[in-house]
Amino acid sequence: MTGRVRIKRLLEQGLVGTEVTVAGWARSVRGGKGVAFIALNDGSSLNGIQVVVDAALPRFEEIARLGTGSSLAVTGILTASPAAGQRFELAALSVTIYQNASPDYPLQKKRHSFEYLRTIAHLRPRTNTFGALFRVRSFLAQAVHRFFAQRGFLYVQTPIITANDCEGAGELFRVTTLDPVSPPLVKGKADFSADFFGVPTGLTVSGQLEGELFALAFSDIYTFGPTFRAENSNTPRHAAEFWMIEPEMAFADLAADAALAEEFLRYLCCQLLEECPEELEFFNRQVDTGLIERIRTVAETKFQLMEYGDAIRELQKATVPFVYPVAWGVDLQTEHERYLTEQVVNGPLFVINYPKEIKAFYMRQNDDGRTVAAMDLLVPKVGELIGGSQREERLELLERRMAEMGIATEGLWWYLDSRRWGSCPHAGFGLGFERLIIYLTGMENIRDVIPFPRTPRHAEF
RNA sequence: UCCCCAUUAGCUCAGUCGGUAGAGCAGGUGACUGUUAAUCACCUUGUCCGUGGUUCGAGUCCGCGAUGGGGAGCCA
């Protein structure tokens, strides 16, 4: 529509006395004899605008009885509101009804459970919570790109379809064009040489290995794209399709990696506090009362750093009982991570230098012969938010480690090549975008921070 | 995948000791109103998740299944 102004802008400008046109969806319609009020929202901000319709207007009876969710455009004069509750309101000169929503509109003028809203994910963006959430999500995505752009990082789009099946980062979704009922067979098994790519392929579980190749050409790079895991995980923190941010820096060690992660998180916190105060206040009020305080703390306090060995000692002297026993060499369980980040430091915590047996093959082996230069960033509520490492850049050590861990080298010849010519120290990390949003909004379920969540048995919408 | 909990009106939920189902909101009608998830009065709405069993009788007890949620594992 020509001349339409977004409600956010209209409220910010506050040009009382001017004639404007807005369009949106009615959140609430209160009709009377002499005047009707419409709370109109177009998604541009948490607050809508109150439209005041005088009974003298044509079709007043119809307008006053519009159902919640109706779509309309209103041309009117912006005026200072005489009543409490809003600074401005729109005195309607004309109202165009696109569609009067019928009374069975599933979103009522009341609080709904997140579980119910998940079943109407096609409509939930029209609610206050999901409106605020997806504005924050969009803002954070743009802030991610801004952060890396300002620091000269190259944005690389790594492939979504991959033939790497040996990264050990989770089960692959199979990508194939073979007939599922009767695929071509060789010795009783599907003949993938007849498949589209001529080899078994799947959806990527990580862009890291390809990201490393670009880091060894452009120095500093990052990826930000969809990631897929076919794990049968049923938790509030796991989805089969999620978005991951993976920076990779050449000529960098673990300390530089951790420094980048900290600077990155702090940047996002500051940006959010500065640019999305309305949304943050809403979440702080409705979802998680400690939210703003927590984000401020992250933005201002230096992150703690702890050696894996010290973490183990810290856990061993803890007075709380753990279900899983603690000893050097075991991986930290969720209960351990939460104790460390919530009880010991009460804030973000890097745990670094893990035993090599519990970490991936590509992580750089430390001089002690038993640990690798890995880091996990643990945060209260969420647990592991970031996982990263300095990569093993020494060809012989990498090959030996792959052999020890039973990783086939054939499919990864190109990865090994990167260690053959011009190899150098490099490091990077992966950050789950949805987990970041959970952390920065106080929402508790990953299914409520992604538009249309994909989890076991759920691919609707 | 394992463990625990839940499933009752369109939504949110109550339902006592096993005796045949209720509230608020939504919706309808009317009144009233510069209102704020408006208010007031009256009214409508049920496969009590499904299935089998125990019982004179099951929303309620037991078995099996489905779905949802939480915890765990896997991980971001």
Side-chain angles (χ1 to χ4, degrees):
Chain A
M1 273 196 70
T2 44
R4 181 176 76 87
V5 62
R6 279 198 202 86
I7 291 170
K8 180 186 173 77
R9 190 167 160 76
L10 182 66
L11 294 173
E12 279 169 356
Q13 291 184 323
L15 296 173
V16 171
T18 55
E19 183 179 322
V20 294
T21 298
V22 296
W25 297 266
R27 287 287 179 82
S28 140
V29 180
R30 299 178 290 276
K33 266 193 180 134
V35 67
F37 300 93
I38 303 169
L40 194 72
N41 190 292
D42 65 0
S44 62
S45 74
L46 200 59
N47 291 317
I49 183 124
Q50 166 157 283
V51 175
V52 184
V53 185
D54 192 89
L57 245 64
R59 300 171 79 191
F60 174 77
E61 285 300 315
E62 192 186 349
I63 293 165
R65 297 173 66 84
L66 283 170
T68 301
S70 297
S71 47
L72 44 146
V74 180
T75 299
I77 308 288
L78 189 72
T79 53
S81 179
Q86 61 280 316
R87 279 183 67 199
F88 307 110
E89 60 188 27
L90 194 63
L93 296 171
S94 73
V95 176
T96 304
I97 300 170
Y98 291 113
Q99 186 178 45
N100 180 9
S102 64
D104 55 359
Y105 182 52
L107 287 173
Q108 298 171 10
K109 292 187 284 184
K110 56 170 279 191
R111 210 183 166 92
H112 291 287
S113 69
F114 289 142
E115 288 84 354
Y116 171 65
L117 291 171
R118 264 170 232 154
T119 68
I120 51 166
H122 56 310
L123 298 172
R124 65 178 185 173
R126 301 189 195 178
T127 64
N128 282 338
T129 302
F130 288 93
L133 187 104
F134 289 119
R135 279 191 299 275
V136 165
R137 183 179 168 116
S138 169
F139 176 81
L140 283 172
Q142 292 169 337
V144 166
H145 285 298
R146 211 154 50 232
F147 174 85
F148 288 116
Q150 284 170 1
R151 281 154 189 80
F153 280 59
L154 182 105
Y155 171 34
V156 55
Q157 296 80 23
T158 51
I160 288 169
I161 297 174
T162 176
N164 305 342
D165 56 353
C166 47
E167 293 172 19
E171 289 292 313
L172 230 61
F173 280 104
R174 189 56 65 71
V175 170
T176 181
T177 55
L178 293 182
D179 182 352
V181 177
S182 55
L185 299 176
V186 171
K187 293 175 184 166
K189 288 184 163 180
D191 177 15
F192 286 102
S193 69
D195 202 352
F196 189 91
F197 295 105
V199 289
T201 50
L203 298 177
T204 183
V205 296
S206 164
Q208 182 200 313
L209 300 190
E210 290 94 345
E212 285 187 46
L213 306 179
F214 265 57
L216 293 180
F218 297 93
S219 301
D220 300 310
I221 67 97
Y222 72 105
T223 71
F224 185 5
T227 308
F228 307 88
R229 305 269 167 96
E231 298 286 356
N232 188 13
S233 296
N234 294 284
T235 87
R237 292 175 298 282
H238 289 84
E241 176 184 286
F242 61 99
W243 285 64
M244 190 152 64
I245 299 151
E246 296 180 288
E248 190 76 30
M249 297 178 291
F251 314 108
D253 59 11
L254 190 66
D257 201 27
L260 180 74
E262 182 170 344
E263 191 187 351
F264 180 51
L265 266 191
R266 189 166 289 152
Y267 174 84
L268 296 175
C269 288
C270 291
Q271 286 282 297
L272 196 60
L273 286 167
E274 213 166 292
E275 302 294 335
C276 300
E278 263 191 11
E279 280 76 15
L280 279 188
E281 275 155 31
F282 174 82
F283 287 118
N284 198 59
R285 189 169 63 244
Q286 301 285 337
V287 178
D288 178 2
T289 48
L291 179 69
I292 291 180
E293 187 56 39
R294 198 173 68 231
I295 297 177
R296 280 222 181 88
T297 306
V298 174
E300 289 160 8
T301 322
K302 177 122 185 74
F303 293 9
Q304 300 286 306
L305 190 133
M306 196 180 277
E307 292 276 336
Y308 167 87
D310 293 333
I312 293 296
R313 273 187 287 280
E314 198 69 51
L315 291 165
Q316 282 170 334
K317 74 182 189 195
T319 51
V320 299
F322 292 121
V323 175
Y324 292 89
V326 181
W328 202 98
V330 304
D331 205 357
L332 299 181
Q333 302 295 313
T334 298
E335 58 174 349
H336 305 140
E337 294 180 343
R338 293 196 63 154
Y339 176 82
L340 290 169
T341 183
E342 290 171 11
Q343 303 301 316
V344 179
V345 305
N346 189 28
L349 169 70
F350 285 111
V351 178
I352 61 167
N353 295 328
Y354 284 79
K356 62 181 180 186
E357 286 76 16
I358 58 174
K359 288 292 180 184
F361 73 91
Y362 50 73
M363 296 187 178
R364 192 179 197 277
Q365 297 158 60
N366 290 325
D367 292 341
D368 63 13
R370 58 177 198 161
T371 63
V372 289
M375 67 168 194
D376 283 355
L377 180 69
L378 311 177
V379 297
K381 282 194 75 153
V382 174
E384 187 179 339
L385 183 61
I386 286 177
S389 67
Q390 187 174 339
R391 322 303 190 187
E392 183 54 79
E393 84 280 14
R394 298 160 295 187
L395 181 62
E396 305 82 64
L397 285 164
L398 180 61
E399 284 178 328
R400 197 186 311 156
R401 192 75 194 120
M402 288 173 78
E404 283 169 8
M405 296 179 73
I407 309 263
T409 53
E410 300 84 66
L412 291 173
W413 59 272
W414 45 271
Y415 186 69
L416 292 167
D417 264 8
S418 68
R419 273 62 171 172
R420 237 179 277 279
W421 303 292
S423 188
C424 70
H426 60 290
F429 63 80
L431 178 145
F433 188 48
E434 284 74 20
R435 288 190 180 177
L436 175 77
I437 297 168
I438 287 173
Y439 187 58
L440 294 180
T441 59
M443 297 291 285
E444 296 197 328
N445 198 309
I446 197 165
R447 293 174 274 238
D448 297 326
V449 300
I450 189 165
F452 302 101
R454 272 74 180 100
T455 54
R457 298 183 307 282
H458 289 286
E460 48 281 293
F461 304 110

